[in-house]
Amino acid sequence: MSERVLTVEGLSTRFPGSDGPVAVVEDVSFEIDRGEVLALVGESGCGKSMTAFSLLRLVPRPGRIAARRIEICGRDVLSLPVPEMRQVRGREAAMIFQEPMTSLNPVQTAGAQVVEAIRLHERIDTGAARRRTVELFDRVGIPDPDARFDAYPHQLSGGMKQRVMIAMALSSHPKLLIVDEPTTALDVTIQAQILDLLRELQRESGTSILLITHDLGIVNELADRVSVMYAARLVEEGRRETILGAARHPYTQGLLRSIPGLARRGEPLAEIPGVVPAPEEWPPGCHFAGRCERALECCATTRPDETRLADEHVVSCHVVAREASR
């Protein structure tokens, strides 16, 4: 039986709005087993990063988190006192943030920042923490790690900054790694190197990964399972090969048709009309209804239930439910 590393049931995250609280993450549930890579995908503004912040209780005020259950390595995240939650961040779960350029302290050397992260979670002297940091820099492919230890962030390339962030995240051997848009603002060659590094680290250590991305090419490279998010809700979930090869939700199909290399052979690239609306503008039914070319009359007013098409393939869509019932 697989070891469950992350369990999320009924997660909702709300912020105050002009007419009351507005959910930017709504009733989201998923799980990740040891050594598994789950990709959470969708357009910008769908709530992917806020989901990650919610798991680690990093949602900025006045945001409020509610859930039936959030467990990381068996620990109830919502009930932990603040000091114990700080220990969970780093020891059990670590996050690589979206922008390494802004996540690192510009007035502290790269090595000192990793040393600080190590000593936050372990009773270890500065010399030993420095040696560990140099080893981590070497492990993540930073050339001349001793010299890079004393480099400031502005002296490092975007790819090197991302590697420093990965080293920092791995410094306390977390069982769950949350990776938010790992290749943003990196050129294609460096993107490939970072993906290769994440794949190698995951294979060597058995670390579970929650991969947050809008790039389905990255999903194809790394993920075991995929959860597709649109406007705060999960709309389709399944194995990578199922989602990329036999997606059923109109939103997922639209994403696939718009990606070079993933669109069906012979079909022109397409775009999904419109943009993700602001949270206060979401309809009470399916949030995708206003952009969906196949929407039924009920879609704008009634939220669709989950339709299970196979053991691990679940879709929330009135159109799919109607087709499955025939």
Side-chain angles (χ1 to χ4, degrees):
M1 186 175 179
S2 299
E3 176 187 349
R4 184 63 45 82
V5 172
L6 174 67
T7 301
V8 182
E9 293 181 359
L11 168 64
S12 294
T13 303
R14 294 179 172 85
F15 285 84
S18 57
D19 296 320
V22 176
V24 296
V25 177
E26 186 177 357
D27 197 21
V28 165
S29 300
F30 58 89
E31 63 281 324
I32 303 177
D33 289 338
R34 178 168 173 77
E36 185 176 41
V37 180
L38 173 68
L40 184 60
V41 306
E43 293 169 276
S44 297
C46 283
K48 306 185 302 297
S49 294
M50 193 57 66
T51 298
F53 294 151
S54 301
L55 301 181
L56 297 180
R57 281 172 44 185
L58 292 174
V59 172
R61 293 181 180 179
R64 299 293 298 271
I65 304 166
R68 292 189 298 277
R69 182 163 64 138
I70 302 176
E71 287 187 0
I72 297 176
C73 300
R75 303 189 72 179
D76 182 354
V77 166
L78 295 179
S79 68
L80 288 177
V82 171
E84 290 187 39
M85 189 63 216
R86 289 198 188 105
Q87 293 301 314
V88 169
R89 301 185 200 117
R91 284 186 176 178
E92 272 85 20
M95 185 168 178
I96 302 172
F97 293 93
Q98 184 169 347
E99 291 287 352
M101 294 73 170
T102 57
S103 297
L104 293 170
N105 187 337
V107 298
Q108 218 179 1
T109 66
Q113 294 182 61
V114 179
V115 165
E116 184 177 0
I118 292 172
R119 298 192 71 196
L120 181 66
H121 297 288
E122 295 183 44
R123 292 182 178 179
I124 185 173
D125 63 50
T126 304
R130 178 184 176 112
R131 290 190 293 273
R132 171 94 66 81
T133 299
V134 171
E135 291 171 0
L136 283 166
F137 280 6
D138 182 61
R139 184 183 179 194
V140 300
I142 295 177
D144 197 0
D146 278 298
R148 293 294 195 280
F149 182 98
D150 296 313
Y152 287 89
H154 74 272
Q155 296 173 309
L156 301 173
S157 68
M160 287 300 105
K161 290 188 184 79
Q162 188 65 285
R163 291 172 191 269
V164 170
M165 293 297 297
I166 293 172
M168 190 182 300
L170 295 173
S171 63
S172 295
H173 312 290
K175 292 183 178 179
L176 173 65
L177 193 60
I178 301 173
V179 186
D180 191 1
E181 299 286 5
T183 58
T184 297
L186 301 178
D187 65 45
V188 175
T189 302
I190 303 303
Q191 285 183 20
Q193 293 174 2
I194 295 298
L195 292 178
D196 287 342
L197 172 60
L198 289 172
R199 188 185 300 108
E200 180 182 347
L201 292 171
Q202 190 269 338
R203 185 172 57 246
E204 287 179 355
S205 62
T207 303
S208 304
I209 296 178
L210 174 59
L211 173 67
I212 297 170
T213 184
H214 66 277
D215 189 333
L216 291 175
I218 293 176
V219 172
N220 194 36
E221 291 281 336
L222 286 178
D224 298 306
R225 291 188 299 115
V226 182
S227 291
V228 182
M229 193 169 201
Y230 182 79
R233 296 174 179 169
L234 296 185
V235 298
E236 186 162 12
E237 303 165 77
R239 302 293 301 176
R240 179 196 66 231
E241 56 271 21
T242 300
I243 299 299
L244 298 185
R248 295 289 301 277
H249 196 283
Y251 177 62
T252 313
Q253 292 175 339
L255 288 179
L256 291 167
R257 287 196 299 268
S258 68
I259 305 298
L262 290 180
R264 289 193 175 96
R265 184 172 298 177
E267 289 187 4
L269 290 180
E271 65 176 17
I272 302 173
V275 296
V276 181
E280 292 182 337
E281 299 172 357
W282 291 335
C286 173
H287 287 175
F288 188 59
R291 302 175 70 189
C292 182
E293 297 175 350
R294 303 174 64 194
L296 305 171
E297 186 175 342
C298 62
C299 293
T301 58
T302 306
R303 180 175 178 176
D305 294 326
E306 289 185 346
T307 299
R308 187 167 294 276
L309 302 175
D311 286 345
E312 296 186 75
H313 191 192
V314 178
V315 183
S316 297
C317 175
H318 290 297
V319 176
V320 173
R322 181 173 293 188
E323 293 173 345
S325 66
R326 290 174 181 168

